[in-house]
Amino acid sequence: MMTEIQRKGIPLALAKKDVLGAAKTGSGKTLSFLIPVLEILFRQQWNSADGLGALIISPTRELAVQIFEVLKKIGKYHTFSAGLIIGGKEFKVEQERISRMNILVSTPGRLLQHMDQSVGFVCDQLQCLVLDEADRIMDMGFQNTMNAIIENLPNHRQTLMFSATQTRSVKDLARLSLKDPEYVAVHERAEHSTPKTLSQHFVTAELHQKLDILYSFIKTHLKTKMIVFMSSCKQTRFVYESFCKLQPGIPIMHLHGKQKQTKRVEIFRKFTATQHAVLLCTDIAARGLDFPAVDWVVQLDCPEDADTYIHRVGRTARFDAEGHALMILVPSEVEGMTEELKKKRVPIEEIKIRTSKQQTIQKQLQSFCFQDPEIKYLAQRAFVAYMRSIYLQKNKTIFDVNALPAEEFAHSLGLAGAPKIKFVKKTEKKKMGAIEPQEESEEEDEEEEKASEIKTKYDRMFQRKNQDILSEHYNKLVDYEGDKLHVDDQNDDEDFLTITRKNHELESDEEDIIEAHTENISKRKQNMTKKERIKNMPRGEKLIFDEDGEAHAMYELVSEQDFLKDGDVKSQIKAFVDEKGQIMQNADIEDKELVKQKRLEKKIKRKERERAALREEFEEGASDEDMEDAEESEEESEEEESKKRSWDEESESEEEEHVNKKRVIDIEEPQTLEDQEALALKLLGH
């Protein structure tokens, strides 16, 4: 089933007409231009040799990634080559491949960079130009970039422009050189410009109560998927860091333009995949991004205009699904914003907060700022960024910086006082108008008197406004009334054993010196901090004193004649090198001897420790086993004597046997047979 914008827009695009498409958020505008792009190139049998055939431009990187993912799904059966060109990726890799692409999805800045720097990138054969979120691309932020891009494109192309809030400006259409464009406004005659399934409400609250309301709202909606829009990147980061420490019980993510591209894509995909989570983001996620199953869209800060509001709430209630939107407004913004929304046919109702379910997190934020300097720094930057965003808004009937309670807002962020903001003071001076010259001179005199007063560092510390949450405690510790000068001497009895300070007013030239010094210094230098003054101070010079006590510079230059008295340059260099080399050799020998001596000492100490350990072991063993050792020694001696005796007897018997064996029988040589027989019998023992 095609949606209404698809049924009306696709046939006109296939007929090669310029189309201006306007439809509510979540109505399927992406397919309304991707299908005609693929079909037009397929009919012309476009291939890689023909070059670039279609160019799709989106205002944000996340939207470009989303369009490219849809293009891959519906164009996987085609043979076209498609590429994604956005900032944050390697430029050289894109340069190598961009000349072979048939379809390009890109952001304006990176596309213009390739047009200027990539040699093989040519758009002469471009058939179709698509501008998604066209009203944002043709806005002042991208005006110069888009003008440069359009100059590089051919005039005989087809142009398709789609957005939820479409532009009809004659200047914008003339810049794009459109020819009889067809305006397709699906919901132009509808009762409301937002989806019917979207319930929209707003809450009126003071500026310092916003974070309390947001935290309480998150705590009561833990089983939902929520997007929270804020006005600046620094404010988004501060709320993310502080809420992560508070641990509300639901995953918290943040998305803003100061993050790296890989981190942004990772958070985008992670939030898309999770079922219950909170995404804190800026208007970078307000247009075109399709997050599935988003239940709530909360606008912590007032949107710039009604169109921005429509795009923000368009992240929920997509494709006939239900959704809820909540906007938190400051009292000074309510009247002007509600009138803007009525003009755009946006139905919104005011609701009130239950005070019983509201929690305050101001004390926790104060402790975070006191314990963690990084959180305190983020809070200060968030304060300045929010005030600047209000100051830079065009519609001053809605946004008024002077109507905001700055001190209370600073306290709600955990700060002890509001940081100084120059542009707020300028607006106050403009409103107040020119002050009479007499009043100005009086104020200048008072300021000069205050500046001329000599203060100690302790006085400056205790009078500092923006120090930390313990400033009130410090003020209570100091008794300022007791330090006042006592002029009346009538109550001397009451002041017995108490110290009173007296102003002796000694005559000295210090005041004259200070006055002369302040007159010579400019106002800019007087307002400089101590660190800045130290940086600009002249550097000290290292001096060497000779035998006569006269000071000389460390490396004092000598005249050429005096220098040549000691010989030519080469001989002096050689003498210097030899001298320093001999000194180094002597130092090396001394170091080696010292090392040997230390090793020997370590060896001696180690041996002494070993000997002491052996002595202790021997003494302990001897005291317990003296008797046993004596008895054993006696038994051993007796056994040894017996063994010796047995060994002696055995040796004697062996000697006798040996002697017997060695006996020789002297017998006459047998003469006859009878004599031989008798000899044989004698030998046999008979």
Side-chain angles (χ1 to χ4, degrees):
M1 281 292 292
M2 289 194 298
T3 60
E4 193 171 353
I5 185 67
Q6 293 169 358
R7 283 198 303 270
K8 293 182 178 180
I10 291 175
L12 293 172
L14 291 175
K16 292 189 176 181
K17 293 185 177 181
D18 294 341
V19 177
L20 299 175
K24 293 180 181 179
T25 55
S27 57
K29 293 186 291 295
T30 305
L31 290 177
S32 300
F33 59 79
L34 286 180
I35 292 172
V37 164
L38 292 172
E39 189 64 23
I40 289 168
L41 296 180
F42 179 71
R43 288 177 182 179
Q44 296 183 7
Q45 297 181 355
W46 205 267
N47 55 30
S48 58
D50 296 324
L52 186 64
L55 180 61
I56 303 168
I57 303 176
S58 73
T60 61
R61 299 175 185 178
E62 286 74 19
L63 182 56
V65 172
Q66 182 176 293
I67 293 169
F68 187 69
E69 294 293 332
V70 177
L71 178 63
K72 287 196 295 184
K73 288 180 182 178
I74 66 172
K76 60 183 177 180
Y77 298 109
H78 290 278
T79 58
F80 305 128
S81 58
L84 174 66
I85 294 175
I86 55 176
K89 293 189 175 182
E90 293 184 6
F91 184 72
K92 291 183 179 179
V93 176
E94 293 178 351
Q95 274 185 321
E96 294 172 359
R97 302 176 183 178
I98 193 170
S99 59
R100 301 192 297 270
M101 296 297 124
N102 301 135
I103 303 172
L104 274 181
V105 183
S106 66
T107 51
R110 181 51 70 94
L111 178 62
L112 182 60
Q113 187 180 3
H114 278 289
M115 286 181 172
D116 294 339
Q117 300 180 20
S118 299
V119 179
F121 183 48
V122 181
C123 305
D124 296 339
Q125 302 296 325
L126 185 70
Q127 300 295 312
C128 186
L129 171 66
V130 180
L131 301 179
D132 194 16
E133 302 297 338
D135 59 332
R136 179 71 184 92
I137 291 178
M138 304 304 293
D139 197 1
M140 294 296 290
F142 295 102
Q143 185 176 8
N144 296 330
T145 306
M146 286 305 301
N147 289 339
I149 290 171
I150 291 165
E151 288 178 0
N152 294 322
L153 301 179
N155 293 327
H156 58 272
R157 68 182 185 275
Q158 179 185 3
T159 305
L160 306 177
M161 299 171 63
F162 287 87
S163 180
T165 53
Q166 190 57 271
T167 178
R168 284 191 179 184
S169 173
V170 177
K171 291 182 180 179
D172 293 341
L173 302 180
R175 283 163 59 196
L176 293 168
S177 64
L178 301 180
K179 300 174 183 177
D180 301 326
E182 295 288 341
Y183 188 75
V184 181
V186 176
H187 303 100
E188 188 176 15
R189 296 180 182 178
E191 185 180 357
H192 305 302
S193 57
T194 52
K196 294 180 181 179
T197 56
L198 176 64
S199 63
Q200 305 171 72
H201 302 91
F202 75 91
V203 173
T204 305
E206 295 293 337
L207 183 59
H208 60 274
Q209 296 176 345
K210 278 188 174 183
L211 288 180
D212 296 339
I213 293 169
L214 177 61
Y215 184 75
S216 304
F217 186 81
I218 292 173
K219 288 289 287 183
T220 54
H221 294 79
L222 297 178
K223 297 294 181 181
T224 58
K225 195 171 185 177
M226 189 187 310
I227 299 177
V228 181
F229 285 99
M230 299 180 190
S231 59
S232 64
C233 302
K234 292 170 184 175
Q235 191 179 0
T236 304
R237 192 183 169 197
F238 166 71
V239 176
Y240 169 74
E241 295 290 343
S242 56
F243 277 29
C244 284
K245 288 197 169 190
L246 290 169
Q247 297 179 354
I250 187 172
I252 297 177
M253 308 171 195
H254 68 310
L255 183 69
H256 54 81
K258 298 293 183 181
Q259 293 170 323
K260 292 185 178 180
Q261 180 58 31
T262 53
K263 184 71 174 176
R264 285 163 65 173
V265 173
E266 180 187 348
I267 293 168
F268 172 73
R269 289 176 178 168
K270 189 177 179 181
F271 183 72
T272 304
T274 51
Q275 186 178 3
H276 306 305
V278 177
L279 179 66
L280 308 172
C281 61
T282 57
D283 283 332
I284 194 173
R287 287 177 174 267
L289 297 184
D290 184 20
F291 296 111
V294 174
D295 301 312
W296 280 91
V297 170
V298 180
Q299 302 184 52
L300 186 68
D301 298 327
C302 182
E304 183 181 353
D305 49 23
D307 291 341
T308 306
Y309 173 87
I310 292 169
H311 284 282
R312 281 181 174 183
V313 298
R315 300 315 99 211
T316 184
R318 298 176 72 82
F319 304 109
D320 297 331
E322 293 184 356
H324 308 277
L326 178 67
M327 181 169 58
I328 304 173
L329 296 177
V330 176
S332 61
E333 300 169 346
V334 174
E335 186 177 354
M337 196 62 205
T338 50
E339 289 179 0
E340 289 285 327
L341 294 175
K342 284 179 182 178
K343 292 177 183 178
K344 288 286 184 179
R345 296 177 287 111
V346 176
I348 189 167
E349 298 177 357
E350 185 177 4
I351 57 173
K352 294 184 178 180
I353 303 167
R354 295 179 184 175
T355 54
S356 59
K357 291 189 176 182
Q358 187 175 346
Q359 302 179 24
T360 58
I361 58 172
Q362 184 174 343
K363 291 183 179 179
Q364 289 93 318
L365 293 178
Q366 285 180 347
S367 64
F368 292 158
C369 291
F370 181 72
Q371 294 169 3
D372 193 350
E374 187 178 355
I375 296 292
K376 182 179 179 181
Y377 174 75
L378 290 175
Q380 291 172 346
R381 304 313 302 161
F383 176 86
V384 175
Y386 176 78
M387 299 297 282
R388 185 183 287 113
S389 67
I390 300 297
Y391 173 73
L392 295 175
Q393 295 293 346
K394 297 178 182 177
N395 194 345
K396 297 302 179 184
T397 57
I398 300 175
F399 303 100
D400 186 8
V401 184
N402 298 313
L404 300 176
E407 287 290 336
E408 294 177 356
F409 179 49
H411 293 322
S412 69
L413 298 178
L415 299 173
K420 293 181 181 179
I421 305 173
K422 293 181 180 179
F423 52 82
V424 174
K425 290 183 178 179
K426 289 180 181 178
T427 54
E428 289 178 355
K429 286 181 180 179
K430 286 180 182 178
K431 283 197 172 184
M432 291 174 67
I435 306 172
E436 294 182 1
Q438 293 180 355
E439 295 179 357
E440 287 183 356
S441 60
E442 290 176 0
E443 289 179 359
E444 287 178 359
D445 294 338
E446 289 177 0
E447 290 178 358
E448 288 178 358
E449 288 176 2
K450 290 180 180 178
S452 62
E453 289 179 1
I454 302 171
K455 297 178 181 179
T456 63
K457 64 179 182 179
Y458 299 104
D459 294 336
R460 289 195 295 270
M461 182 180 71
F462 288 119
Q463 290 177 6
R464 197 180 300 149
K465 290 183 179 179
N466 187 12
Q467 41 185 337
D468 51 27
I469 57 174
L470 295 177
S471 57
E472 295 181 1
H473 176 66
Y474 289 147
N475 287 327
K476 290 177 182 177
L477 292 176
V478 182
D479 185 14
Y480 290 105
E481 294 181 358
D483 292 342
K484 293 180 180 178
L485 300 173
H486 293 275
V487 180
D488 299 330
D489 296 331
Q490 296 175 359
N491 300 324
D492 290 338
D493 297 334
E494 295 179 1
D495 294 334
F496 182 66
L497 292 177
T498 59
I499 298 172
T500 58
R501 294 186 179 182
K502 293 184 179 180
N503 187 8
H504 297 285
E505 294 182 357
L506 298 175
E507 295 181 0
S508 65
D509 298 332
E510 289 183 0
E511 294 180 359
D512 300 333
I513 294 167
I514 292 167
E515 289 178 1
H517 184 64
T518 51
E519 286 177 0
N520 295 329
I521 297 174
S522 62
K523 289 184 178 180
R524 183 179 63 81
K525 288 186 178 180
Q526 288 178 6
N527 296 328
M528 287 171 67
T529 60
K530 188 176 180 180
K531 289 183 179 179
E532 292 174 347
R533 288 177 183 173
I534 291 169
K535 286 180 182 179
N536 298 326
M537 283 174 64
R539 301 297 178 187
E541 295 180 359
K542 192 170 183 180
L543 299 177
I544 297 174
F545 293 90
D546 57 9
E547 295 178 355
D548 299 331
E550 295 180 359
H552 299 277
M554 183 73 177
Y555 301 102
E556 195 171 10
L557 295 176
V558 187
S559 63
E560 189 175 357
Q561 294 176 356
D562 296 336
F563 178 77
L564 293 174
K565 285 180 181 178
D566 298 331
D568 58 346
V569 177
K570 290 184 179 179
S571 62
Q572 288 193 40
I573 291 171
K574 188 178 179 182
F576 178 79
V577 171
D578 294 339
E579 183 184 354
K580 296 299 178 184
Q582 187 64 34
I583 293 169
M584 291 177 68
Q585 286 179 2
N586 296 333
D588 191 22
I589 292 167
E590 290 177 0
D591 292 340
K592 286 180 179 178
E593 289 179 356
L594 184 63
V595 169
K596 284 182 181 179
Q597 189 176 358
K598 286 183 178 179
R599 285 179 182 173
L600 185 62
E601 289 176 357
K602 285 183 179 179
K603 192 174 180 180
I604 292 167
K605 287 181 181 178
R606 188 179 72 251
K607 287 185 177 180
E608 288 178 355
R609 286 197 299 269
E610 291 175 357
R611 287 172 185 170
L614 289 172
R615 286 173 187 169
E616 289 178 0
E617 290 177 0
F618 179 76
E619 289 175 357
E620 289 176 0
S623 61
D624 295 335
E625 298 177 357
D626 284 340
M627 298 299 293
E628 294 179 1
D629 292 341
E631 291 175 358
E632 287 179 359
S633 61
E634 289 176 359
E635 291 175 357
E636 287 177 357
S637 61
E638 290 175 358
E639 288 177 358
E640 287 177 357
E641 288 178 0
S642 61
K643 284 179 182 180
K644 284 181 180 180
R645 290 171 186 171
S646 59
W647 289 343
D648 293 338
E649 291 175 356
E650 288 176 2
S651 61
E652 288 176 358
S653 60
E654 286 176 0
E655 286 177 358
E656 288 177 358
E657 288 176 2
H658 186 66
V659 170
N660 293 332
K661 285 180 181 178
K662 286 185 177 181
R663 285 176 185 174
V664 180
I665 301 171
D666 296 328
I667 298 171
E668 295 179 358
E669 186 177 351
Q671 299 293 328
T672 60
L673 182 63
E674 292 177 355
D675 295 338
Q676 291 178 356
E677 289 177 355
L679 179 62
L681 290 170
K682 191 181 288 187
L683 293 171
L684 292 170
H686 292 287

